[in-house]
């Protein structure tokens, strides 16, 4: 259990009410996707396509991590180029966040969550994916030699 900052000398505990049964991440290249599948120990014969179809712009790949039997979801997409605006990328990430939420509901046996619970869950997943996208595509300062 993680702790939050100390207030009044007491240790305030993590206020999360639900821990997702899925670990998830965002992967922006086929090479990185294959490297992660290899690192996780997924047999090559079970590797899914980077994008499920030729017209897909993003895909969420679900599988069980063979090393620890943990449920995983890897969202794959190519970073924005001249053909897509940042808002379109974020809309795709929200779309994939919904798929992660749907799988989460199934995994915990919840078929009728409250509307606010569902909205907060999708917001949190989408926000995490958006921050990951921003971090992965940020221009890194070039070091002078």
């Amino acid at each position: 259990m993680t702790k939050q900052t100390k207030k009044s000398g007491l240790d305030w505990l993590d206020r999360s009410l639900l821990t997702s049964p899925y670990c998830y991440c965002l992967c922006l290249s086929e090479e990185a996707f294959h490297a992660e599948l290899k690192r996780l120990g997924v047999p090559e014969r079970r590797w899914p396509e980077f994008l499920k179809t030729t017209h897909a712009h993003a895909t969420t790949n679900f599988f069980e991590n063979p090393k620890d039997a943990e449920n995983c979801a890897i969202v794959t997409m190519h970073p924005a180029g001249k053909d897509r605006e940042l808002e379109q990328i974020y809309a795709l990430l929200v779309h994939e966040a919904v798929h992660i939420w749907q799988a989460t509901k199934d995994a915990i046996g919840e078929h009728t969550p409250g509307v606010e619970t569902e909205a907060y869950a999708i917001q949190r997943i989408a926000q995490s994916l958006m921050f990951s996208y921003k971090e992965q595509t940020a221009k890194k300062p070039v070091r002078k030699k």
Side-chain angles (χ1 to χ4, degrees), residues 9 19 28 32 41 51 59 61 73 80-82 95 140-141:
T19 301
L28 300 180
L51 296 174
T59 298
N61 298 283
K82 295 177 183 174
H95 176 103
K140 309 287 188 233

Side-chain angles (χ1 to χ4, degrees), residues 27-30 33-34 48-61 74-79 84 92 96:
C27 186
L28 300 180
S29 78
E30 199 162 348
F33 180 54
H34 291 159
E49 294 295 321
F50 182 72
L51 296 174
K52 286 184 181 170
T53 66
T54 56
H55 63 274
H57 295 291
T59 298
T60 300
N61 298 283
I74 300 179
V75 176
T76 56
M77 68 184 304
H78 294 292
R84 277 186 273 160
L92 286 169
E96 298 308 322

Side-chain angles (χ1 to χ4, degrees), residues 35-52:
E36 188 61 15
L37 293 175
K38 186 174 184 175
R39 187 191 72 76
L40 292 171
V42 177
E44 263 188 73
R45 69 183 186 287
R46 294 193 52 226
W47 287 9
E49 294 295 321
F50 182 72
L51 296 174
K52 286 184 181 170

